[in-house]
Amino acid sequence: VFEYGKDLEVISTMNKIFPKEVNDCIKMPIDRRLLTSPFFEIPMPSSASGKLEQDGKKVYIALCENIPPLVRETISNSSLNPSDIHTIFPHQGSFHIVKGVHLRLKEYSMYSDFEEGNFSSASIPKSLNKAFEKGEIKKGNAVVLAGFGAGLFASVAVVRFG
C-alpha cells in the first residue's frame, strides 16, 4: 500500500530492548532447533508449561513506562517539533496498553483500531492504511509508528507521507 521512498519519508528511528528486570514477564516455548539462520538471537526465558506464559500486569507497566519516553526521544531526534506530529500509530495488540501509553502521551493524538482484533506485526500498516483511506491522515502529515512485542522490544519511527 505504501512504498518506501515514494509514499513515506523516514525522518527518525529508534529501537529499544527493555530492561533485564522485565525479561521474565513473557516466557515462550521455543525450540531453537526449528529456527533457520539468520535470526535475531536474544535470550528468551523458556516456559516450563510448554505454552506462552505472560505476566500481563508486568508487561503493561513495562510498556507504559518505556514506550512514551522512546516516542518523545525519537521525535526529539527528528527535525520536527512535537506539534508537527499528526498522530501516533501504536501496535494495536491491547486496548489497555494503547490507552495506558496514551495517558502518558496526552499531548498527541493516538490512533486506536480494535474492530477486527489484534493483527500482530501487521497492526500498524493496517491502521495506517485504514486511516489514509478514511482521510484521517493525508499526504504531508508526519506520524509516529510505535511497534512493540514479545521479548519486550520496541521500535519507533517518525515518518512523513509524501
Side-chain angles (χ1 to χ4, degrees):
V1 174
F2 303 107
E3 188 176 323
Y4 176 76
K6 179 180 177 189
D7 302 308
L8 294 174
E9 171 194 2
V10 178
I11 299 169
S12 178
T13 63
M14 292 192 75
N15 299 301
K16 179 178 180 111
I17 297 173
F18 284 52
K20 289 184 189 231
E21 55 268 14
V22 296
N23 269 2
D24 66 342
C25 62
I26 298 177
K27 297 177 183 176
M28 296 183 166
I30 298 173
D31 183 348
R32 298 205 181 276
R33 297 171 300 173
L34 300 175
L35 298 174
T36 59
S37 292
F39 64 90
F40 192 56
E41 176 63 41
I42 295 291
M44 170 71 67
S46 189
S47 68
S49 68
K51 298 178 181 175
L52 172 72
E53 297 172 12
Q54 176 174 297
D55 181 336
K57 184 175 182 180
K58 208 170 176 182
V59 170
Y60 174 85
I61 291 168
L63 291 170
C64 289
E65 287 178 353
N66 286 277
I67 297 297
L70 186 61
V71 166
R72 285 192 176 93
E73 189 176 355
T74 308
I75 293 169
S76 175
N77 290 342
S78 77
S79 57
L80 303 175
N81 293 315
S83 61
D84 295 328
I85 302 300
H86 186 274
T87 307
I88 296 174
F89 286 84
H91 165 55
Q92 303 289 307
S94 160
F95 171 78
H96 297 291
I97 291 172
V98 170
K99 183 179 177 184
V101 168
H102 192 209
L103 287 172
R104 291 153 179 87
L105 292 167
K106 288 181 183 178
E107 67 272 29
Y108 296 102
S109 170
M110 184 81 58
Y111 195 82
S112 181
D113 174 25
F114 292 98
E115 290 176 26
E116 293 96 13
N118 181 350
F119 273 68
S120 189
S121 62
S123 71
I124 293 173
K126 178 185 166 293
S127 296
L128 276 175
N129 185 55
K130 191 179 219 177
F132 197 73
E133 285 180 347
K134 288 181 171 184
E136 295 170 351
I137 54 172
K138 298 174 176 42
K139 290 185 179 193
N141 286 152
V143 301
V144 173
L145 314 177
F148 46 87
L152 294 179
F153 300 96
S155 294
V156 175
V158 176
V159 301
R160 184 185 317 276
F161 285 92

